Amino acid sequence: VPLIVKFPDGKNRGRVRTDLVKHIDILASSLALAGIELPENLQGKDLFADDYQEQKYIFTTRDRCDETTEIIRAVRTGKYKYIRNFLSYRPHAQRNQYKDGKQISIHTRELYESGSLSDLQARFYLPTRPPEELYDLEKDPFEINNLAGDPEFIEVLTGFRERLFQWMDETNDPVLIPEPILEELGRKFGNKYTAMQQAGMDQLREKLIHIVESGEQQKNQVLLEAIQSPEPAERYWGLTWLGVNKVAASRDLVAALTQDEDPSVRIAANLALHKIDSDYDPIPALGKEVAHRNLIVGMYAMSAIEQTGIRNETVKSIAENASHSLYE
């Protein structure tokens, strides 16, 4: 989006810049214009500083909005944009109560379900999405032609991927730690920022990325090892991808983890077990998690229920009780 700035007394009137900036630069710039010294740990840049240097790479994130969990990271330059979809097994158009109630959302979903959208238009509603996207913004400003699978662009893709992962390390990005687990870590260490400064978090991030990549590539042995880890976040992602890949051989191990000590792991195990064995009914167990003292756990449980596609009286009762509890 364009950034338009109005200074007092017509200063810089008519000046046009074409360099890339981030939303968080507005904070740094505002503090500087007010004469306030910028904290050392501030990630944004003062766009109007005398020594300001144009930023080659711009990093963006997309996480949970309302009740809808999302995990997207992206990096762009003036020419390319690279997008990493860590929830590639989910649609772009995940369910969201706020958006789904809008007439345009209702109408376009109806068009998709009736087969009335073009292939391009229908991408938004497909059940899955590519793990990686790469676009040449000069030739393809509307990001239609995904170059991530084109051998000609493998070096560009690899370079952007490495740069993104480097930025995630630099910023202590909690990207793949399930939010209920991160919430508890925040309580333990005083806040989530401090929690991410703890020793071993860099290694944990690398392990979680490896587990997700293994799931995408159906390297199921890695997933089986992950669900035996003492780290709940590793168990969570191992279970999630065993379910996505419907690894029948893991059924008993997954079933055992429906009794895990960590609620996030229990939720992931119940959902995975349902995907592996359609005869298994996860609703009673997931319903219990909805009332968990950690409200983020309840939100994850409701999301898991939605992902099962099960719609029955038990689900209706859980939804009604959850609604009453929130209002009380």
Side-chain angles (χ1 to χ4, degrees), residues 283-304:
I283 301 302
L286 292 174
K288 293 179 181 178
E289 305 293 355
V290 169
H292 196 278
R293 63 173 179 79
N294 182 337
L295 296 181
I296 306 297
V297 170
M299 184 189 67
Y300 265 54
M302 288 186 278
S303 174

Side-chain angles (χ1 to χ4, degrees), residues 92-231:
H92 277 298
Q94 291 195 71
R95 288 291 185 179
N96 180 275
Q97 185 174 355
Y98 169 71
K99 290 189 293 186
D100 287 349
K102 293 183 176 294
Q103 196 59 44
I104 187 172
S105 297
I106 295 171
H107 183 58
T108 50
R109 195 177 289 275
E110 288 174 346
L111 291 174
Y112 170 72
E113 292 173 351
S114 66
S116 302
L117 298 180
S118 68
D119 289 344
L120 176 59
Q121 294 167 334
R123 283 185 198 173
F124 192 61
Y125 292 99
L126 295 177
T128 62
R129 54 185 135 157
E132 295 181 300
E133 301 175 61
L134 178 68
Y135 299 103
D136 183 332
L137 299 175
E138 293 178 352
K139 297 178 180 179
D140 181 22
F142 297 108
E143 302 175 24
I144 293 172
N145 182 27
N146 183 8
L147 303 173
D150 189 331
E152 183 179 341
F153 291 88
I154 186 65
E155 289 188 15
V156 176
L157 179 73
T158 301
F160 272 83
R161 182 194 299 137
E162 291 176 351
R163 187 65 190 89
L164 178 66
F165 287 172
Q166 179 184 341
W167 174 83
M168 289 164 60
D169 284 338
E170 292 170 354
T171 58
N172 292 312
D173 189 356
V175 55
L176 290 173
I177 299 178
E179 196 174 352
I181 296 176
L182 187 60
E183 192 80 4
E184 294 299 330
L185 287 173
R187 288 195 179 102
K188 179 179 179 181
F189 293 104
N191 58 66
K192 298 170 190 174
Y193 179 84
T194 302
M196 293 308 300
Q197 310 297 314
Q198 302 304 306
M201 283 300 182
D202 287 347
Q203 292 87 342
L204 176 59
R205 185 183 306 108
E206 292 176 4
K207 288 179 181 178
L208 298 181
I209 291 173
H210 177 59
I211 293 169
V212 171
E213 290 177 337
S214 298
E216 293 166 342
Q217 299 162 14
Q218 297 196 18
K219 296 179 179 179
N220 296 324
Q221 184 58 41
V222 173
L223 307 180
L224 290 169
E225 293 171 2
I227 65 173
Q228 300 176 61
S229 167
E231 170 54 56

Side-chain angles (χ1 to χ4, degrees), residues 27-91:
L27 170 61
S29 303
S30 300
L31 291 173
L33 289 170
I36 300 172
E37 185 176 353
L38 302 186
E40 290 184 2
N41 63 348
L42 198 65
Q43 293 177 17
K45 307 294 183 183
D46 173 12
L47 302 173
F48 310 108
D50 293 336
D51 60 349
Y52 175 75
Q53 295 181 347
E54 293 187 6
Q55 303 175 68
K56 180 179 179 180
Y57 297 101
I58 293 294
F59 300 89
T60 56
T61 68
R62 176 73 162 87
D63 293 294
R64 177 170 63 84
C65 185
D66 298 331
E67 81 282 8
T68 306
T69 298
E70 187 57 276
I71 308 176
I72 303 176
R73 296 292 181 267
V75 54
R76 65 160 291 178
T77 60
K79 181 173 177 58
Y80 291 108
K81 178 190 280 187
Y82 168 77
I83 303 172
R84 185 59 168 94
N85 294 304
F86 285 104
L87 299 185
S88 58
Y89 57 92
R90 301 285 290 142

